[in-house]
Amino acid sequence: MHVIRELLDMQIVDRDDEHVGRVDGIVAELRNGEPPVVVSLELGFVTIARRIHRGLEAVAERMHKRWSVRRSARYRIPWSDVMEVNTHHVRIDVRAEETVAFDWER
Amino acid sequence: MKKGLQLALGILTAIGGFFDIGNLVTASQAGAKFRFQLLWALLLGTIIVILLVEMSGRLAAVSKKTIPEVAREHFGVRVWFGPFVILVLVHLMTIAAEIGGIAFALQLLTGISFQLWALPVGILVWLFLWRSTFSAIEFSTASLGLITLCFVVAAVWHHPPRSDLLAGLLPSLPSDDGAKYWLYAVGILGALIAPYMFYFYSSGAIEDEWDRTYLGINRIVSVTGMSFGALITAGLIVVAGMVLFPKGIAVDSVNQAAFVLTEAFPFWGFALFAVSMGIACLGAVLEVSLSLAYTVSQTFGWRWGESLEPKQDARFALVYTVGILAASLLMTLGIDPLRLTIYTMALNAMMLPVVSIPFLLLMNDGHLLHEHGNGILGNLATGVIVLISCVLFAVSIPLVLLGGG
């Protein structure tokens, strides 16, 4: 799998096709002499800000502390929860409404 | 039966979304100053808008995805973020201009300043969005928008010379005031090819659960709906050309445009103009506010849908709430709706490459569209649209400065 092309920015849906968010970042583990392994998918404004410009990350962190309803600025979904990756979405074995991503809807 | 109803509703909604404060201002200015000479810009813009609306509907029906969704997935957040920020800005300016249009219509009817109307109007628009479903918005926009047909009725009543109308459909150089001529041409194109049209249309197709069986309906709705919308705009250009042009009245404020219907409808022409303007802007502000919420929610992958309760898609509802509030407050400051509309239309025209280039790339993606991607003709047409967009990008701001806005 081409991780950057096929995973990054894709729509994440739960078991019932509910939109959870997008793959804003990918957390990978570097291993000596072996290819890196994807550990988790990361969601959140701070992750997006970091990708756009490193300087924006701190701004996004401050905005999160001041205004965000979400418990954490970053939300990670372990790779073990990923059920399916196709050209349309990344499906995870978690209920969307139970995740941090749905703090606004609670 | 369901599809027949959707077809009729789609056409009417397309008309409702098409005619707004941008068309109203640019068409009345063009008609008053250059009579029918700028009808060609309307024709060109309508062809472009038909092609792009059809593509956005086709994309949604086949891939079940909207433009912001595929744009982020294809280009990545680093590339999409810039256009996304500009799109949000243009949406906000358009919402403010439409709210300004409704408030100004109320000023025409009551004599109370539009500044005082802006906030109550914003609150009513927000309440309507908060309480109603997509179908209710679609139906009300569609049925109320029919009142704007009064411009077509008035145009027919004036019996404009057919040869002059046909001559106006061919591009020609102005005898004087070239900067204004091109500014109005760019304004007409900017008003017609407003980005929200495509984002709203493709999201609406998902809300109405379109699939591949709707491709025929999509084609009919985009051609017929946009053509009817253009007919209303043409009606206004013709009426302004028949009423204001001979008297040498330039449309420097909406007040002057309000007299275009007074010859065809002597007793209630002024009120009819105000009501038509208010309703056209109301239909448009509902669509633009939703388009803003769609664009933001889809870019970030949130749950979205006007048919859901606001608590089910709180972030989607929050976006249009903040957008409407900010736009209403902007209008309470007393910004002239006409001037704001002119700047917004120029900005619309300037950012057309951002709108048109993704079409060229996305409509050729086999994973998304399978056998329904663009053919040679479709790509050729989109290529020409991209070229025109690039010209508009280069000339729009200098023209606003030269033409005096």
Side-chain angles (χ1 to χ4, degrees), chain B residues 37 40 167-173 181:
Chain B
Q37 213 184 343
W40 65 267
L169 289 173
L170 295 172
S172 56
L173 289 172
Y181 179 83

Side-chain angles (χ1 to χ4, degrees), chain B residues 63-74:
Chain B
S63 73
K64 307 275 189 216
K65 287 191 181 243
T66 62
I67 302 162
E69 287 176 324
V70 281
R72 164 120 190 232
E73 285 166 16
H74 266 245

